[in-house]
């Protein structure tokens, strides 16, 4: 049985100290429930005023998930790939770097495809370069974040 840390619940209640504590204490569990809850938060727009925080939490959670050496279920990956774009700040290099990391660690191929298309309309050259580098690095293997370990 997967441990449910309720990170999304703590975020919604603005208990940011508890979120930091939960993230620091994550173990090698499957985090399906956490990602599903965060996807619901994104879809409902509950934390629209905290996109940087939400992106940081997703990046940290993606890192922990990647270290389980198990892919998230396809349905979660698809929903997250579609939802995370709503949180992305297209003018922020930091937000873009986090998004690219999440895409790479969780195998979110559709999100990388979206980034490729979106890059054409982004005026920030650093953000465009980050996306271009990600496409070069991950386009062949994005759906399998563990391909380099095989």
């Amino acid at each position: 049985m997967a441990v449910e840390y309720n990170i999304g619940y703590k975020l919604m209640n603005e208990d940011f100290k508890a979120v930091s504590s939960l993230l620091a204490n994550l173990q090698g569990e499957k985090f399906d429930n956490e990602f599903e809850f965060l996807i619901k938060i994104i879809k409902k727009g509950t934390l629209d005023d905290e996109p940087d925080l939400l992106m940081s939490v997703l990046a940290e959670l993606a890192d922990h998930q990647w270290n389980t050496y198990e892919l998230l279920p396809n349905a979660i990956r698809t929903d997250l790939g579609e939802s995370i774009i709503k949180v992305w700040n297209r003018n922020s290099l930091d937000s873009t770097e986090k998004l690219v990391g999440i895409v790479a660690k969780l195998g979110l191929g559709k999100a990388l495809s979206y980034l490729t298309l979106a890059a054409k309309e982004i005026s920030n050259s650093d953000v465009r370069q980050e996306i271009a580098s990600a496409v070069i690095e991950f386009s062949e293997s994005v759906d399998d974040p563990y391909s380099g370990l095989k």
Side-chain angles (χ1 to χ4, degrees), residues 68-117:
T68 67
Y69 300 100
E70 292 183 31
L71 286 173
L72 285 170
N74 284 333
I76 294 174
R77 291 169 57 204
T78 299
D79 280 352
L80 185 60
E82 294 169 359
S83 300
I84 198 168
I85 297 301
K86 297 175 185 173
V87 180
W88 174 43
N89 178 350
R90 289 155 179 77
N91 296 312
S92 166
L93 180 59
D94 182 59
S95 182
T96 303
E97 288 172 340
K98 287 177 181 162
L99 178 59
V100 165
I102 294 165
V103 166
K105 289 175 182 169
L106 299 180
L108 306 180
K110 288 184 181 180
L112 185 63
S113 296
Y114 179 85
L115 285 174
T116 304
L117 295 173

Side-chain angles (χ1 to χ4, degrees), residues 8 34 139-140:
E34 294 300 333
S139 64
E140 297 290 318

Side-chain angles (χ1 to χ4, degrees), residues 22-147:
L22 288 172
L23 287 170
N25 292 306
L26 289 175
Q27 301 297 317
E29 300 284 336
K30 290 183 70 176
F31 305 110
D32 300 14
N33 293 337
E34 294 300 333
F35 281 109
E36 287 175 336
F37 197 87
L38 290 170
I39 291 166
K40 287 178 189 174
I41 288 172
I42 294 169
K43 286 182 176 181
K44 288 182 180 177
T46 306
L47 290 172
D48 281 353
D49 57 338
E50 295 287 349
D52 294 336
L53 176 64
L54 190 51
M55 188 66 82
S56 292
V57 169
L58 284 166
E60 185 73 24
L61 196 56
D63 187 53
H64 288 287
Q65 176 64 39
W66 186 84
N67 284 305
T68 67
Y69 300 100
E70 292 183 31
L71 286 173
L72 285 170
N74 284 333
I76 294 174
R77 291 169 57 204
T78 299
D79 280 352
L80 185 60
E82 294 169 359
S83 300
I84 198 168
I85 297 301
K86 297 175 185 173
V87 180
W88 174 43
N89 178 350
R90 289 155 179 77
N91 296 312
S92 166
L93 180 59
D94 182 59
S95 182
T96 303
E97 288 172 340
K98 287 177 181 162
L99 178 59
V100 165
I102 294 165
V103 166
K105 289 175 182 169
L106 299 180
L108 306 180
K110 288 184 181 180
L112 185 63
S113 296
Y114 179 85
L115 285 174
T116 304
L117 295 173
K120 298 172 186 173
E121 300 174 10
I122 294 173
S123 59
N124 184 321
S125 61
D126 292 334
V127 170
R128 279 195 323 271
Q129 181 57 43
E130 178 66 22
I131 294 169
S133 296
V135 169
I136 291 168
E137 185 174 354
F138 304 118
S139 64
E140 297 290 318
S141 62
V142 69
D143 290 322
D144 182 4
Y146 304 107
S147 64

